[in-house]
Amino acid sequence: MSLYPPQLGDVATWFNAMAMASAAVFAWLAWRAQVEDRESREYESRREAAVRHAAAAIEDLTTGSVASARRCVADKATSGGVPDTVGSGDEELRHQVFVLLWALHRLEPLADDLGLAKSGQRQVLGTHIGLITASLRKFAGLLPEGSRAPFATSAEAAKTALADLSNVLDVENDSWKTGLE
């Protein structure tokens, strides 16, 4: 430490260093704000896409061929009108079972999106998956053991897709078994 009073150049150097440090802090804060804004916009974009994907999946499970197939399989299973060997006796019923299994298998990519979807969508989706698997399980319970073989590969693919979804939707994976595996 000097016993002499600070020189004008020393004070200016000190102020210059402080100004540069302040500028660096403000530049970092501005950069951080931009990064957070970009991350926020990316998150919102991913969330909007997830909501759209979940809505499309719900629509797929509740309308068109999937809804018709669920109605057909559920009606046959509750009336006990399942033929002994599905395939040779009732091609239409066999086709409807495959429509349902394929609908379940198509849900597999949705597992990545469901965490960002709306909670109501997750509940509705879980309910409809449960209705489909319950119909398939009841149907499978009416079939003789050997008659399930034509469905095994498709049922296994659906089971894999549902395992991923059950983790996201907090559902016991066993409750979504189709009985056709």
Side-chain angles (χ1 to χ4, degrees):
M1 187 156 175
S2 171
L3 297 175
Y4 299 106
Q7 300 296 318
L8 186 55
D10 292 340
V11 172
T13 302
W14 185 80
F15 277 120
N16 189 26
M18 291 302 291
M20 288 174 57
S22 295
V25 167
F26 286 117
W28 181 82
L29 289 172
W31 171 80
R32 189 70 204 136
Q34 286 178 334
V35 167
E36 288 173 358
D37 183 53
R38 185 182 73 238
E39 288 171 352
S40 175
R41 280 186 273 132
E42 287 173 0
Y43 173 80
E44 283 305 314
S45 176
R46 283 193 327 264
R47 180 169 163 73
E48 288 172 10
V51 167
R52 282 192 312 274
H53 294 160
I58 291 168
E59 183 176 352
D60 183 49
L61 294 180
T62 58
T63 61
S65 63
V66 176
S68 296
R70 186 171 76 189
R71 188 172 28 260
C72 175
V73 171
D75 288 349
K76 288 282 189 175
T78 54
S79 70
V82 177
D84 287 342
T85 57
V86 176
S88 61
D90 191 346
E91 283 296 323
E92 181 60 24
L93 181 58
R94 177 183 171 141
H95 172 73
Q96 299 302 340
V97 170
F98 279 116
V99 167
L100 293 178
L101 291 171
W102 175 238
L104 295 175
H105 180 68
R106 282 194 313 262
L107 295 174
E108 188 169 21
L110 195 59
D112 295 335
D113 287 338
L114 280 181
L116 296 173
K118 295 177 181 176
S119 64
Q121 288 178 311
R122 290 191 297 269
Q123 291 171 348
V124 168
L125 196 61
T127 298
H128 286 287
I129 292 169
L131 291 170
I132 290 171
T133 55
S135 294
L136 289 171
R137 199 169 39 256
K138 187 165 185 150
F139 167 80
L142 297 173
L143 290 175
E145 193 68 36
S147 297
R148 297 178 190 163
F151 305 110
T153 303
S154 294
E156 207 46 54
K159 178 182 171 183
T160 302
L162 294 179
D164 292 343
L165 288 174
S166 68
N167 293 334
V168 176
L169 296 175
D170 291 330
V171 173
E172 291 277 335
N173 194 23
D174 288 346
S175 69
W176 281 353
K177 285 189 175 180
T178 64
L180 296 168
E181 297 88 4

